[in-house]
Amino acid sequence: MTVVRTPLVVGNWKMNGAFEANRALIEALLALLAQKPLPALGVCPPFPYVPQIGALLAGSPIGWGGQTVSEHRGGAYTGQVSAPMLRDLGCTYVIVGHSERRQYCGETDEQVSLQAVAALDSGLIPIICVGESADEEAAGQTLAVIDRQLAPVLTTLAGVADEGASVVIAYDPVWAIGTGKTPTPEGVQKVHAHIRQRLMDAGLVQSRILYGGSVKGSNAATLFALPDVDGGLIGGAALDAQDFSTICTAAANRAV
Ligand code: PEP
């Protein structure tokens, strides 16, 4: 099988947005990106705004998605949203296991693996987040933490996903999210190469690995030039059309 890892950029709006501001942001983004080379591209607004963003992006090359998904297909799970529901809303992507969900909602490695399978089962592309805390980084535990987070995901996916499955891993060091700090390029590449090896061992040869954590227009080209970085998961900068478009261009210009 020919391995093609098209660069991917996904904006995570977190719990930000309002109808008017969303419209202005998407219109500005579409204007900035018109006639530019594009990576594969998605934006993930809060659930209430998914239909609005879907309507604004319909017919454009930009996809949209959710910020989490239930591991269940339906039933008595008050407050949860299922993968088939996200598909009904035209979603392409869903973020799972973001560190803010792990920290504030107690999501476990096992649960994240089931969410990823639920997403794949419904034809969504799961963007599975992993990454170490500041304390874990200081203790030199980065790779061990990532192995622990990935283990149930890879075991579960090995049973259901073929080698061409659209699975995306996002390396999001917790200490880099929203802090303006990033690991060194060498540090990012080391972790991505490690994740790549784990994916290859599990037969997921086509999977892309995104870097997330304080990516901006000013550092995107350096990060995306790294051999095992296939694009980015973007938080704060996804709320700024100019910065986000610069990041998208940096990804599109990355040699595949
Ligand atoms: C994120 O939320 O996954 C993220 C990477 O945030 P930021 O870009 O703001 O650091």
Side-chain angles (χ1 to χ4, degrees), residues 53-69:
I53 300 307
L56 289 168
L57 291 177
S60 85
I62 307 180
W64 57 94
Q67 297 177 8
T68 184
V69 70

Side-chain angles (χ1 to χ4, degrees), residues 12 14 98 172 176-178 212-214 233-236:
N12 172 16
K14 312 195 188 206
H98 192 281
D172 258 20
I177 295 177
S214 295
L233 179 62
I234 317 299

Side-chain angles (χ1 to χ4, degrees), residues 104-231:
Y104 304 134
C105 307
E107 290 186 0
T108 63
D109 299 332
E110 181 65 29
Q111 199 177 354
V112 170
S113 74
L114 297 175
Q115 292 170 346
V117 170
L120 274 180
D121 278 350
S122 288
L124 296 165
I125 299 176
I127 298 156
I128 305 161
C129 301
V130 296
E132 80 286 3
S133 68
D135 286 349
E136 289 162 343
E137 197 264 343
Q141 294 169 346
T142 298
L143 298 182
V145 168
I146 284 165
D147 280 345
R148 190 204 71 218
Q149 292 172 331
L150 276 182
V153 171
L154 296 179
T155 307
T156 313
L157 288 181
V160 295
D162 63 30
E163 60 175 4
S166 283
V167 174
V168 177
I169 305 293
Y171 171 49
D172 258 20
V174 180
W175 55 272
I177 295 177
T179 60
K181 297 181 198 163
T182 56
T184 60
E186 295 73 25
V188 172
Q189 172 53 27
K190 181 176 163 199
V191 175
H192 279 234
H194 182 83
I195 296 172
R196 177 85 59 215
Q197 190 57 54
R198 291 286 180 264
L199 291 168
M200 301 292 267
D201 293 345
L204 294 165
V205 297
Q206 201 89 328
S207 300
R208 286 169 287 190
I209 309 172
L210 310 185
Y211 170 75
S214 295
V215 178
K216 304 182 200 59
S218 53
N219 61 14
T222 305
L223 291 162
F224 297 165
L226 298 167
D228 285 299
V229 176
D230 304 316

